[in-house]
Amino acid sequence: MTPEQFVKVYLPEAKKVEAKTGFNYLIPLTQAALESGWGSKALGNNFFGIKDTDGVNGNEQLITTTEYLSTDKVKFPTIINIVKVGNKFKYTVKDWFRKYPSAELAFTDHVNFFLKNPRYSKALLVKDKPELFFEEIAKAGYATAPDYANQLKQVMQSVIKRLPK
C-alpha cells in the first residue's frame, strides 16, 4: 500500500474517531501510518503497536519488535538480540500485541487506550493539537524510541501532503 492509498483508505476511520471523541483526526491517522509502515505491518489490524498484556485470551499475536530500554534485564516472551546503543539497550524481541477484526475497531481501541490510561492525562488536554499530543504521549512512554514525537511530526507532514484537496 502506498502512502497515498493509506491516507485514502484510513482517513474515514480517523474522521469517525474525531467525530466521536474530539481527537484530531491527524492523531490516529499519523500514528497508524508510522506504527504500521503505512499499513504494511498492520498484522491483525494492529495499526498502533498496542501491546496485549496477557497473551492468553485469543485477541493477541506474537510479533517481532524493537524496544529501547535502560536495562538489559527486561523479560520478553522471546529475546532475539540486545545491543547497547548510547545509554540504552536496543532489544529485538517477540512480544504480545493486540489484534482486531477490523480497522474501525483498531482505531476506536487506540483512542480508548489513551482515555483509559491515566499516564496520558496531559496528552488528553491537547487532543485537538496533534504536535503537542505527540510530545505528551512520548513523554508518557507510549513508545520506547527516543525520538518518537519527532518521528510522528515528520510522518504527519507526509500525511498532510496526501490529504484530499
Side-chain angles (χ1 to χ4, degrees):
M1 177 174 288
T2 67
E4 289 77 12
Q5 292 168 323
F6 181 89
V7 170
K8 182 178 181 181
V9 170
Y10 297 110
L11 178 61
E13 301 303 337
K15 291 279 192 170
K16 286 180 201 172
V17 166
E18 182 179 62
K20 286 191 265 185
T21 66
F23 277 75
N24 184 295
Y25 72 93
L26 286 170
I27 291 170
L29 193 59
T30 297
Q31 271 197 285
L34 175 64
E35 293 287 344
S36 73
W38 298 98
S40 68
K41 297 183 276 180
L43 300 172
N45 289 309
N46 189 336
F47 291 89
F48 302 98
I50 297 176
K51 292 193 176 177
D52 185 82
T53 55
D54 57 20
V56 296
N57 59 5
N59 67 344
E60 68 283 319
Q61 54 193 338
L62 198 58
I63 297 176
T64 301
T65 188
T66 301
E67 304 288 352
Y68 292 87
L69 303 166
S70 59
T71 177
D72 63 351
K73 306 287 186 235
V74 178
K75 298 204 182 306
F76 289 93
T78 304
I79 296 176
I80 298 167
N81 193 19
I82 305 172
V83 177
K84 185 128 170 88
V85 178
N87 64 347
K88 298 271 187 180
F89 291 90
K90 178 183 176 184
Y91 285 74
T92 304
V93 301
K94 289 189 180 281
D95 204 358
W96 293 108
F97 288 82
R98 294 181 187 177
K99 66 179 177 181
Y100 304 91
S102 69
E104 180 178 355
L105 289 174
F107 274 68
T108 299
D109 191 48
H110 173 252
V111 169
N112 288 335
F113 178 81
F114 291 123
L115 294 170
K116 291 177 182 174
N117 285 286
R119 71 178 178 173
Y120 299 113
S121 60
K122 287 185 180 178
L124 294 177
L125 298 174
V126 291
K127 66 183 182 180
D128 59 332
K129 298 175 179 71
E131 288 190 350
L132 296 177
F133 185 87
F134 297 150
E135 289 172 16
E136 291 300 330
I137 65 168
K139 287 180 204 170
Y142 184 88
T144 60
D147 61 342
Y148 189 65
N150 287 332
Q151 288 178 30
L152 285 167
K153 290 174 189 178
Q154 289 174 354
V155 171
M156 185 176 73
Q157 292 310 311
S158 293
V159 167
I160 289 169
K161 287 179 191 172
R162 291 168 169 86
L163 291 172
K165 303 286 185 225

